[in-house]
Amino acid sequence: MPRWRIRNGVPAALTAAGLLLAGCANPSTGSADDDPTKPVTLKFWHGWSAPGEVKAINASIERFEKLHPNIDVKATGNVTDETINQALRAGGGEAPDVVSSFTTNNVGQYCDSGMWVDLDPFMKKTGLDKKKTFPKTLLDYTSYKGTQCALPFLADAFGMYYNKDAFKEAGIERPPRTMSELKEVAAKLTVRSGKDSYKRVGFMPNFRLYQNAPDRLFAQWGPQYFDADGKSNLADEPKTYDFFKTTNELIEAQGGFDDLEKFRATFGEEMSSQNGFLTGKLGMHLDGEWRGLMLDEKKAKFDWGVAPLPVPDDQADSYGRGFITGTVLGIAHSSKKQNAAWELVRFLTANTNQVVDLANDIHNVPSTFAALKSPRLDADRRFRTFFKILENEHSQALPQSTNGGSYIVSLADLAYSVEAGGKKNLREGLKKLDDQIDADNLQAEN
């Protein structure tokens, strides 16, 4: 479920039709007048493409069809958000009924545009209490301005993987819990191999490294991205300055940006056998729960553990928190089989055994309270560390925006410049960033 996957796979003719009709002002509208007990065929589009993941999704559908023999589900995998959006704007018989997305940041657009239907009436009609079923953080990122147009379809939590052998070699007894401890431990773990190269870096904060997008680590500060009026708040948020100060100190404590970037260039692709952490070039690494499965499958040559990411020193009591995101599931506004579609959505997101089975199969975090407590869950304590991160009251997901995740892209652009030393006046840069985000959101609303 990592967000790095490239997904294609819908027939080219359908994609082309979506492109031609993407600008339609009045796409076809569906209905919830169908009888979900009558024979029906549903189209389900999702983004999974790896053989093991597709097998797990197909097994989920088989379980659903056994419970609902009148509903036949036709699944199409490896589908991009772009293709889904084009098809939903076009509407018609070729559009999907049920859709999933790895891009949590787009929920604001799905809800605001009505592209995905409001699920609250379906939950009320069938007695599903969302607040008793799903953790609050997950409900936050699947809704926008009171509209619950999606539900969580498993979750991702981010923590810190660490090389236990390297820790032992450096005389470090436990993972760091605060940012000052992180700087100290990172420096101890860093081993040079020449004037401008390394054998190992303790913790590389560089924002272009794998999952190191700035919002992942920034979540440890618990920032407020927008003020009460919905205006971008990054320049007036003191935590923003402490975040950049800390990442720059981490960089300098391990040799400077240029040397770290040069070393990063020696790493292989994120999911390859030459991954920087897997090859021992990183002593600690920010990543999601799926990484553990890869480390086991590729037989890492060192003992490794998982811990929550450190937190700012003045927020030490929030240790255990982390960045939360996940796959989301919804019903297409154009579907004329919305009651039957809801039965599939309800089963995939709220049936405890189903959620547990899928979480075990693809090594993602369960997304319901009941599933998180199930004795049938994978007992690996390293995997379960991410369950605790998900349930931590301080853990944070990104706030939704009508302009999707474009504000995070803008933040990343600024962050690349800051880490390389290109922004001497940070407040000025952040003010310009706030203005840009506000202008982009205003344009999207209009």
Side-chain angles (χ1 to χ4, degrees), residues 45-348:
W45 286 8
H46 63 83
W48 281 284
S49 60
E53 294 171 336
V54 172
K55 181 180 178 181
I57 293 297
N58 289 340
S60 299
I61 291 171
E62 289 176 8
R63 290 190 287 268
F64 171 77
E65 289 177 336
K66 284 183 179 179
L67 289 175
H68 299 269
N70 63 297
I71 302 178
D72 182 32
V73 180
K74 301 297 185 185
T76 301
N78 205 20
V79 185
T80 66
D81 282 354
E82 181 181 4
T83 299
I84 289 173
N85 293 344
Q86 291 164 356
L88 294 188
R89 291 189 186 101
E94 295 302 316
D97 300 290
V98 177
V99 288
S100 75
S101 172
F102 295 150
T103 315
T104 308
N105 299 345
N106 284 344
V107 169
Q109 292 177 316
Y110 299 147
C111 292
D112 195 50
S113 66
M115 190 179 294
W116 290 18
V117 304
D118 184 0
L119 298 179
D120 274 324
F122 295 94
M123 286 187 274
K124 183 177 181 180
K125 183 163 50 178
T126 56
L128 178 62
D129 188 330
K130 64 183 181 181
K131 292 182 180 179
K132 292 181 179 178
T133 304
F134 306 103
K136 181 181 182 302
T137 304
L138 277 58
L139 289 175
D140 288 345
Y141 72 63
T142 51
S143 64
Y144 180 66
K145 291 186 176 179
T147 300
Q148 190 78 49
C149 73
L151 285 177
F153 190 23
L154 300 188
D156 292 330
F158 285 76
M160 187 178 72
Y161 288 80
Y162 63 100
N163 185 324
K164 288 187 172 182
D165 292 348
F167 267 55
K168 185 176 180 180
E169 174 190 313
I172 302 167
E173 295 183 356
R174 62 165 176 77
R177 296 174 183 171
T178 63
M179 290 298 165
S180 61
E181 287 182 357
L182 177 61
K183 284 179 272 188
E184 180 182 347
V185 170
K188 283 184 178 180
L189 289 171
T190 298
V191 179
R192 286 279 193 176
S193 64
K195 182 180 178 182
D196 59 356
S197 189
Y198 302 87
K199 176 183 177 182
R200 181 180 66 226
V201 164
F203 177 84
M204 186 178 286
N206 301 38
F207 297 129
R208 296 183 191 272
L209 172 65
Y210 303 150
Q211 293 290 325
N212 274 22
D215 50 296
R216 311 296 205 244
L217 186 59
F218 195 19
Q220 299 308 106
W221 276 259
Q224 182 180 349
Y225 281 90
F226 299 98
D227 64 19
D229 297 321
K231 299 293 185 181
S232 184
N233 190 56
L234 291 167
D236 291 330
E237 170 61 273
K239 296 171 182 177
T240 311
Y241 300 91
D242 189 46
F243 165 64
F244 281 118
K245 178 175 179 288
T246 299
T247 54
N248 282 338
E249 287 174 349
L250 276 164
I251 288 171
E252 292 306 315
Q254 298 171 95
F257 179 76
D258 291 341
D259 284 359
L260 291 178
E261 278 293 280
K262 188 182 298 184
F263 188 53
R264 184 178 69 84
T266 69
F267 297 177
E269 293 293 327
E270 182 178 359
M271 298 306 290
S272 76
S273 59
Q274 296 303 306
N275 172 283
F277 183 70
L278 179 63
T279 54
K281 293 182 175 181
L282 296 170
M284 299 177 286
H285 182 49
L286 180 162
D287 218 329
E289 76 287 339
W290 61 84
R291 180 66 50 195
L293 186 60
M294 189 207 80
L295 291 170
D296 284 340
E297 288 178 345
K298 296 190 180 295
K299 296 179 171 52
K301 296 179 180 179
F302 54 87
D303 190 14
W304 56 275
V306 180
L309 285 158
V311 296
D313 289 49
D314 62 355
Q315 298 186 58
D317 60 346
S318 70
Y319 178 69
R321 77 193 312 170
F323 178 77
I324 305 297
T325 184
T327 301
V328 295
L329 193 66
I331 298 173
H333 73 99
S334 56
S335 173
K336 298 184 183 300
K337 311 162 188 174
Q338 291 177 11
N339 287 317
W342 166 246
E343 292 302 325
L344 178 58
V345 169
R346 178 166 63 146
F347 174 78
L348 292 176

Side-chain angles (χ1 to χ4, degrees), residues 393-421:
E393 63 177 337
H394 301 288
S395 289
Q396 185 176 53
L398 288 172
Q400 292 296 338
S401 164
T402 189
N403 200 28
S406 66
Y407 71 96
I408 295 301
V409 175
S410 299
L411 172 61
D413 288 341
L414 174 68
Y416 297 147
S417 178
V418 172
E419 70 176 356

